[in-house]
């Protein structure tokens, strides 16, 4: 039988998976230009369940998944609140509830205000921030966070790694903001492409720093390798998105399949890059406030 902390760990992993699916669904709303397929909010055409035809499928489908994720986030926070986890983990879980609520309000606002770019860009970025938070929560609830893994390593290297992983996360996050500006305004395309170089440089530096760790089984090693691979894939998908959204003129009002595929894949893989950069950042430092999790029995 699973212990209580084992069940919380599973629940938080399930939440991460659901949020990832929700981000993918959100990206598909934008890529299909379906943001205004349902003109009202919180109801859709005055009902909870409109006919799922045309672009209503993408927009209302996204709202349904968002509703489920919001309830799941609340349920997770209540379970964590009732567990013997330390106060800062409880606060992290409730911060997730606040973020998902703000995110739903931004989603509603962007519809009612007819997709103003600042609101759509904020909705795009807050969605990924919420994803990063659920990843950190799942990590702190997992046994992996209890064995910090960096004990016995050169303190100078550890300090450097902590700085580097923070910078890398910030650079990837800035790249997300630029990407969202490109996606919702068509501006800053070259800034976004150029900034990819800074992201790549930092991903390589993290890889080099992690390769100097003496612990051959440090989970940071595979994590840094996967980050490098996903970043490379992101650039290939970005090139495809650039060709199909910026260089080739659309024929007709509907987004063609190749445009949807590249733009959505770049958006979704971008979420993986940001999420993994956040995970590497939390993995490379001790748990907040130096406290250790209580190990809950049953
Ligand atoms: C609560 C959790 C939610 C999350 C994590 C989330 C996430 C996302 C993401 C990642 C996108 C894609 C942004 C992009 O491609 O740049 C998106 C798009 C969108 N979402 Fe949400 N969303 C949530 C809730 C909602 C709700 C409740 C609504 C209600 C109407 C909504 C309406 C929209 C619309 C209209 C778009 C398309 C925006 C555009 O094309 O400019 N979202 N969402
Ligand atoms: C590692 C570097 C990169 C990261 C992390 C990244 C991330 C992102 C993200 C997250 C978005 C969507 C933002 C949103 O949610 O609204 C985006 C959009 C975009 N990116 Fe990137 N990107 C990278 C590199 C590139 C490169 C090298 C190119 C071009 C060669 C590129 C071209 C684009 C384009 C054209 C869009 C907008 C697509 C659309 O209109 O739907 N990206 N990027």
């Amino acid at each position: 039988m699973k212990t209580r902390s084992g069940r919380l760990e599973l629940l938080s992993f399930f939440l991460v998976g659901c949020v990832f699916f929700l981000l993918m669904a959100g990206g598909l709303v934008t890529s299909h230009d379906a943001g205004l397929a349902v003109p009202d909010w919180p109801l859709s055409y005055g009902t909870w369940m409109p006919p799922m035809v045309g672009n209503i499928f993408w927009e209302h489908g996204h709202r349904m998944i968002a509703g489920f994720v919001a309830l799941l986030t609340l349920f997770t926070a209540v379970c964590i609140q009732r567990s013997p986890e330390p106060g800062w983990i409880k606060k992290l879980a409730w911060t997730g509830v606040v973020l998902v609520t703000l995110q739903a309000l931004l989603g509603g606002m962007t519809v009612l205000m007819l997709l103003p770019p600042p609101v759509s860009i904020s909705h795009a970025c807050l969605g990924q921030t919420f994803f990063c938070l659920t990843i950190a929560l799942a990590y702190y609830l997992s046994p992996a966070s209890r064995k910090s893994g960096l004990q016995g390593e050169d303190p100078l290297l550890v300090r450097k790694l902590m700085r580097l992983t923070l910078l890398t996360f910030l650079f990837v996050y800035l790249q997300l903001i630029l990407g969202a500006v490109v996606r919702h305004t068509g501006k800053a395309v070259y800034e976004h492409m150029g900034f990819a170089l800074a992201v790549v440089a930092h991903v390589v530096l993290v890889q080099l720093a992690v390769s100097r760790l003496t612990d051959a089984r440090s989970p940071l090693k595979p994590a840094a390798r996967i980050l490098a691979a996903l970043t490379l894939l992101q650039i290939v998908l970005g090139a495809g998105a650039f060709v199909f959204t910026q260089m080739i003129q659309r024929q007709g009002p509907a987004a063609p399949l190749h445009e949807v595929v590249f733009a959505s894949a770049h958006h979704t893989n971008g979420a993986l890059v940001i999420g993994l950069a956040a995970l590497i950042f939390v993995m490379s430092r001790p748990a907040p406030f130096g406290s250790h999790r209580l190990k809950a029995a049953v």
Side-chain angles (χ1 to χ4, degrees), residues 2 27 63 82 95 99 103 129 139 146 166 195 209 226:
K2 281 242 162 258
R63 294 183 187 194
R82 289 159 54 106
T95 308
L99 289 194
Q103 176 70 357
T129 311
Y139 171 72
R146 265 166 260 152
L166 170 63
F195 202 69
I226 297 171

Side-chain angles (χ1 to χ4, degrees), residues 3-290:
T3 60
R4 184 198 280 185
S5 64
R7 283 197 298 266
L8 277 185
E9 192 191 332
L10 266 185
L11 182 61
S12 62
F13 269 89
F14 179 59
L15 178 62
V16 170
C18 291
V19 177
F20 178 66
F21 184 61
L22 173 57
L23 293 186
M24 198 155 59
L28 284 165
V29 175
T30 309
S31 293
H32 281 94
D33 279 341
L36 295 179
V38 179
D40 51 343
W41 182 81
L43 292 178
S44 299
Y45 289 100
T47 140
W48 290 110
M49 198 58 222
M52 297 292 265
V53 290
N55 276 346
I56 299 177
F57 171 80
W58 299 110
E59 171 59 14
H60 187 71
H62 173 57
R63 294 183 187 194
M64 282 168 65
I65 303 168
F68 174 73
V69 166
L71 289 177
L72 186 64
T73 311
L74 182 64
F75 177 69
T76 308
V78 170
C79 292
I80 292 175
Q81 183 65 38
R82 289 159 54 106
S83 75
E85 294 297 335
W88 62 268
I89 291 201
K90 293 178 179 167
K91 282 192 190 128
L92 196 62
W94 286 107
T95 308
V97 176
V98 172
L99 289 194
V100 79
T101 310
L102 286 178
Q103 176 70 357
L105 290 176
L106 281 177
M109 266 170 71
T110 203
V111 169
L112 298 178
M113 296 166 74
L114 310 180
L115 310 184
V119 182
S120 289
I121 292 168
S122 309
H123 187 67
C125 296
L126 188 62
Q128 311 260 13
T129 311
F130 171 55
F131 181 49
C132 293
L133 182 140
T134 58
I135 289 178
L137 188 65
Y139 171 72
Y140 288 130
L141 287 169
S142 77
S145 67
R146 265 166 260 152
K147 29 182 168 50
S148 136
L150 289 172
Q151 288 112 348
E153 300 290 347
D154 174 5
L156 268 182
L157 176 62
V158 173
R159 232 172 300 140
K160 183 178 165 190
L161 199 59
M162 277 164 52
R163 260 199 324 268
L164 202 54
T165 55
L166 170 63
L167 261 184
T168 306
F169 173 70
L170 292 178
F171 274 57
V172 175
Y173 197 87
L174 210 61
Q175 180 70 335
L176 156 71
I177 298 176
L178 286 173
V181 171
V182 177
R183 199 156 154 82
H184 294 279
T185 67
K187 293 186 187 138
V189 181
Y190 294 103
E191 287 83 342
H192 179 66
M193 282 163 72
F195 202 69
L197 285 177
V199 171
V200 169
H202 280 77
V203 168
V204 170
L205 287 173
V206 168
Q207 173 75 45
L208 290 177
V210 161
S211 70
R212 288 174 53 206
L213 293 174
T214 50
D215 178 7
R217 289 186 311 154
S218 166
L220 279 166
K221 293 195 179 209
R225 269 200 300 275
I226 297 171
L227 180 66
L230 289 179
T231 306
L232 194 67
L233 177 62
Q234 183 67 353
I235 288 174
V236 174
L237 294 171
F242 176 71
V243 170
F244 293 122
T245 63
Q246 308 289 322
M247 291 177 71
I248 298 180
Q249 281 287 323
R250 244 189 224 180
Q251 312 287 320
L257 185 65
H258 44 76
E259 183 186 316
V260 172
V261 167
F262 273 98
S264 300
H266 185 64
H267 171 269
T268 303
N269 190 59
L272 289 180
V273 172
I274 292 156
L276 191 53
L279 179 65
I280 291 177
F281 164 68
V282 291
M283 277 164 79
S284 68
R285 60 203 61 232
F289 319 119

